[in-house]
Amino acid sequence: MKTGDFLFTSESVTEGHPDKMCDQISDAVLDDVIRQDTHGRVACESFITVGLVIVGGEITTTGYVDMHSLVQNLVKDIGYTNPKYGFTYDACAILNAIGNQSPDIAQGVDTGGAGDQGLMSGYASRETEELMPMPIMLAHKLTKRLAEVRKKNILPFLGPDGKSQVTIEYRDRVPVRVDAVVISAQHSEEILDSTGKHITEESRQEIIDKVMRPVIPESMLDEKTRYYVNPTGKFVIGGPRSDTGMTGRKIIVDTYGGMASHGGGAFSGKDPTKVDRSASYMARYIAKNIVAAGLAEKCTIQLAYVIGVAEPVSIMIFTDETNEIPESRIAEIVRKNFDLTPRGIIQSLDLLRPIYEKTACYGHFGWNYPEFTWERLDKVKDLQKDA
């Protein structure tokens, strides 16, 4: 292939995947704290395995979180209600290992400084209507569809755990076709064939017809597109029974599917004084408005902070030679139009609200939900004017 011609792959996981269960638990704790105390500080990590959920971290708040009920209700909503999946909401032990946030951190944050040092990235591209990379958006839509057909009993044999993967062929850096689609979906034993080692061809075709085809644009499919459904043959044992889960282990799934760089930290379980999260949201907000304003076809932004210091120590703009004006000029316009201090980010994006559990599945970016203020395009005219 010539330069600009390549295959690119991204993956997503369902809400019943053990790592994503932990992200949801950590963000549900954060939401419960913010609902009671907008000045609360939360750094919450979760761990899940067979029959056990551990919730730990550092939280300082005037509120109270009923950890047992919170975890049980969340696991129930995800769909672990049947013992056949080896893990149920009402039969798992829940260990609360929460402590207080260090006062050494608080003294720098209380004055408006960043909650930690680190680098954060944001990205946008014109290749989809969401201004996101196509591979990750299609992968997310597939896992969302998996959950939908399970919960609506369209495919009642499905379990909560599952994964998707999409490979896109690019020509001259433009996505032109889907080369391969993968669905690995937990299921009950009723759809196994006579060998007990594979799902039936009928069930495989049902997943293709009712999960893959409604999501993948027909124009992106051709006779060479490859379809993989449960490639090992079967996927009966899944969820926490088959694999441990931890908060923050799906950071590429959470962001841009590997198409853009990632900063140094995960998002879930962190209140917005932690720039790992809030500055990454701001970086996406800026990149999306830059691309929507026509200043570049694609844009990567890196921000970097020092603990206790409000202003970023660096701002980097990279447009991969798709920019209409110099990147240095775009950086100047960014500084003029966006408040990049932690307090400014929190205020601009209205982040002190219980919105975070919704971010914990199917990616933090690309969805035009009212809670996802970082997806707004309200800065486009200002950027165009200054450019």
Side-chain angles (χ1 to χ4, degrees):
M1 289 186 175
K2 63 182 179 180
T3 302
D5 294 359
F6 54 89
L7 298 175
F8 193 91
T9 302
S10 295
E11 70 161 347
S12 181
V13 299
T14 65
E15 60 204 61
H17 185 281
D19 291 332
K20 273 292 143 203
M21 293 176 71
C22 290
D23 285 343
Q24 291 169 89
I25 291 168
S26 295
D27 274 337
V29 171
L30 171 59
D31 281 351
D32 206 23
V33 170
I34 290 179
R35 200 173 284 115
Q36 303 172 65
D37 174 16
T38 57
H39 298 290
R41 298 282 161 72
V42 179
C44 179
E45 312 288 341
S46 304
F47 169 84
I48 197 166
T49 188
V50 181
L52 176 65
V53 178
I54 301 175
V55 185
E58 302 80 45
I59 297 179
T60 300
T61 180
T62 58
Y64 168 75
V65 178
D66 183 348
M67 200 67 68
H68 194 86
S69 295
L70 181 147
V71 172
Q72 276 199 331
N73 290 335
L74 182 60
V75 174
K76 182 179 180 181
D77 288 344
I78 289 170
Y80 285 102
T81 58
N82 194 319
K84 69 182 178 181
Y85 295 124
F87 188 95
T88 60
Y89 74 98
D90 56 353
C92 63
I94 300 166
L95 176 61
N96 186 343
I98 297 290
N100 291 324
Q101 185 189 58
S102 165
D104 296 346
I105 296 175
Q107 70 180 8
V109 179
D110 290 343
T111 58
D116 201 353
Q117 71 177 46
L119 54 129
M120 301 84 208
S121 297
Y123 180 78
S125 167
R126 281 206 173 274
E127 63 186 62
T128 64
E129 63 180 2
E130 298 91 356
L131 302 186
M132 286 283 288
M134 184 176 289
I136 189 65
M137 285 309 301
L138 290 180
H140 285 325
K141 290 176 181 179
L142 285 170
T143 49
K144 286 190 76 173
R145 178 63 179 168
L146 264 181
E148 180 183 19
V149 298
R150 170 175 61 91
K151 292 181 175 181
K152 291 183 176 179
N153 277 327
I154 297 172
L155 296 178
F157 54 78
L158 292 179
D161 198 358
K163 290 185 173 184
S164 69
Q165 187 169 286
V166 178
T167 300
I168 300 287
E169 181 179 339
Y170 285 75
R171 296 177 192 159
D172 292 330
R173 303 185 183 185
V174 176
V176 296
R177 60 180 293 272
V178 172
D179 186 71
V181 190
V182 183
I183 289 289
S184 293
Q186 185 184 18
H187 60 86
S188 57
E189 293 185 347
E190 67 190 73
I191 64 166
L192 293 176
D193 63 15
S194 59
T195 70
K197 295 181 179 181
H198 299 85
I199 63 173
T200 63
E201 180 58 32
E202 179 184 4
S203 299
R204 176 184 178 275
Q205 194 61 49
E206 275 193 289
I207 292 173
I208 292 173
D209 292 341
K210 296 181 180 179
V211 178
M212 292 181 175
R213 292 194 181 278
V215 168
I216 307 297
E218 189 174 351
S219 61
M220 297 292 289
L221 300 173
D222 58 29
E223 68 280 358
K224 293 184 179 180
T225 300
R226 294 168 289 165
Y227 302 92
Y228 298 95
V229 178
N230 288 14
T232 62
K234 67 176 183 177
F235 185 3
V236 173
I237 300 174
R241 182 184 173 190
S242 67
D243 194 10
T244 59
M246 294 184 69
T247 301
R249 285 208 302 202
K250 287 291 178 283
I251 58 175
I252 301 303
V253 172
D254 285 343
T255 53
Y256 307 103
M259 186 67 77
S261 58
H262 192 288
F267 302 155
S268 289
K270 297 177 181 177
D271 74 75
T273 67
K274 279 75 170 174
V275 283
D276 275 343
R277 180 170 220 158
S278 55
S280 294
Y281 289 174
M282 177 57 85
R284 162 63 177 172
Y285 178 47
I286 296 169
K288 187 175 182 182
N289 276 268
I290 286 172
V291 170
L295 305 190
E297 290 292 306
K298 62 177 71 173
C299 181
T300 300
I301 296 179
Q302 186 199 76
L303 304 174
Y305 290 83
V306 175
I307 188 168
V309 178
E311 292 288 345
V313 293
S314 67
I315 301 173
M316 186 276 294
I317 305 287
F318 175 68
T319 60
D320 199 16
E321 299 181 347
T322 67
N323 48 308
E324 296 295 328
I325 62 174
E327 291 171 342
S328 59
R329 176 61 185 148
I330 297 175
E332 292 173 3
I333 295 172
V334 167
R335 287 186 179 273
K336 176 182 176 182
N337 285 279
F338 298 91
D339 187 340
L340 300 179
T341 66
R343 283 181 177 173
I345 293 171
I346 290 170
Q347 183 176 0
S348 299
L349 301 181
D350 195 14
L351 296 180
L352 289 176
R353 296 175 295 143
I355 61 173
Y356 296 101
E357 185 185 335
K358 193 169 186 176
T359 70
C361 287
Y362 314 118
H364 294 242
F365 308 121
W367 306 108
N368 288 320
Y369 305 139
E371 299 92 341
F372 288 24
T373 52
W374 48 92
E375 294 296 321
R376 298 178 310 197
L377 293 174
D378 55 340
K379 292 287 188 178
V380 168
K381 291 183 179 179
D382 292 336
L383 297 181
Q384 290 172 334
K385 179 181 177 182
D386 289 336

